[in-house]
Amino acid sequence: MRKGLSIDARVPFSWVALSRCHFGLAELLETVFAAREALELNPYLDWAHYVLGLALLDVAGVDDAIAEFEATLAPSPQDSLRVVATGAKSIALVLKDDFKGAIHFSRQAQLLPNAALTAHMGNVRALGHLGRTEAASEALLRAKAAYRHIGITAVKRQHAFSQWRVRDQLLTALLKAGVTE
């Protein structure tokens, strides 16, 4: 990506790709920088908003992240990113202790095509935090039906959160819901 950017740094999709690479490596400040560069060039790039939101959960805070997830959802109700952005917003709402909102958005995400792990995690986490064990177990079964390799290791691998508070809060809720290795 860096080579492509050295040829032409005005290509916003290159910045998006770079931000996704940085996020996968948990290089969150670099993720934020690259995503913001992409958005300077094209403020409507949903992938840039989405990856920026994920990084901002750690770097800036839940409200900033939610704003980016909402920006991801704004352009088109038919967008393929809708399922992951809605699921990510649900996860962010858990971190904000808005468990009802988290459950609402998680259920919305589950109704969308190709709903996988991210669509279910807000629901499982919120129910786990609320101590609603039976409902959390049922939500976990639905999540396992959609994503059969669900477990603590899988969740850690899918969520590159570096801030201990965010990661600890997410994993604690999963453990309360009955997620194991």
Side-chain angles (χ1 to χ4, degrees):
M1 296 317 327
R2 287 188 181 107
K3 183 170 180 152
L5 286 167
S6 71
I7 295 168
D8 188 353
R10 297 169 298 159
V11 179
F13 296 106
S14 296
W15 286 104
V16 171
L18 182 62
S19 71
R20 292 181 68 197
C21 291
H22 282 303
F23 185 76
L25 296 170
E27 298 170 349
L28 300 178
L29 293 177
E30 292 87 349
T31 302
V32 170
F33 175 80
R36 287 190 171 147
E37 288 292 317
L39 291 169
E40 280 289 317
L41 295 166
N42 183 345
Y44 303 103
L45 285 175
D46 52 1
W47 268 107
H49 284 291
Y50 175 67
V51 175
L52 180 57
L54 291 175
L56 289 177
L57 280 173
D58 272 330
V59 175
V62 175
D63 290 331
D64 291 335
I66 289 172
E68 293 303 325
F69 297 140
E70 288 172 353
T72 305
L73 296 167
S76 168
Q78 305 304 319
D79 196 301
S80 61
L81 270 182
R82 190 162 200 77
V83 67
V84 292
T86 305
K89 183 175 179 179
S90 173
I91 291 166
L93 289 170
V94 170
L95 297 172
K96 196 173 175 172
D97 294 334
D98 179 358
F99 302 124
K100 286 184 179 182
I103 291 167
H104 169 78
F105 280 98
S106 182
R107 288 183 178 160
Q108 269 191 349
Q110 291 172 42
L111 296 173
L112 295 169
N114 302 319
L117 183 61
T118 306
H120 295 270
M121 288 298 85
N123 196 30
V124 173
R125 290 169 177 156
L127 293 168
H129 274 299
L130 290 171
R132 295 175 51 193
T133 310
E134 188 174 322
S137 295
E138 290 170 10
L140 183 56
L141 288 175
R142 287 192 303 277
K144 284 181 178 180
Y147 189 85
R148 62 187 171 106
H149 300 295
I150 190 171
I152 298 297
T153 303
V155 172
K156 284 180 182 176
R157 193 171 47 245
Q158 286 215 356
H159 296 287
F161 300 115
S162 63
Q163 189 181 86
W164 68 268
R165 181 191 64 81
V166 174
R167 174 170 257 175
D168 185 52
Q169 209 173 27
L170 296 174
L171 294 175
T172 299
L174 290 173
L175 290 168
K176 285 182 182 179
V179 176
T180 61
E181 283 300 321

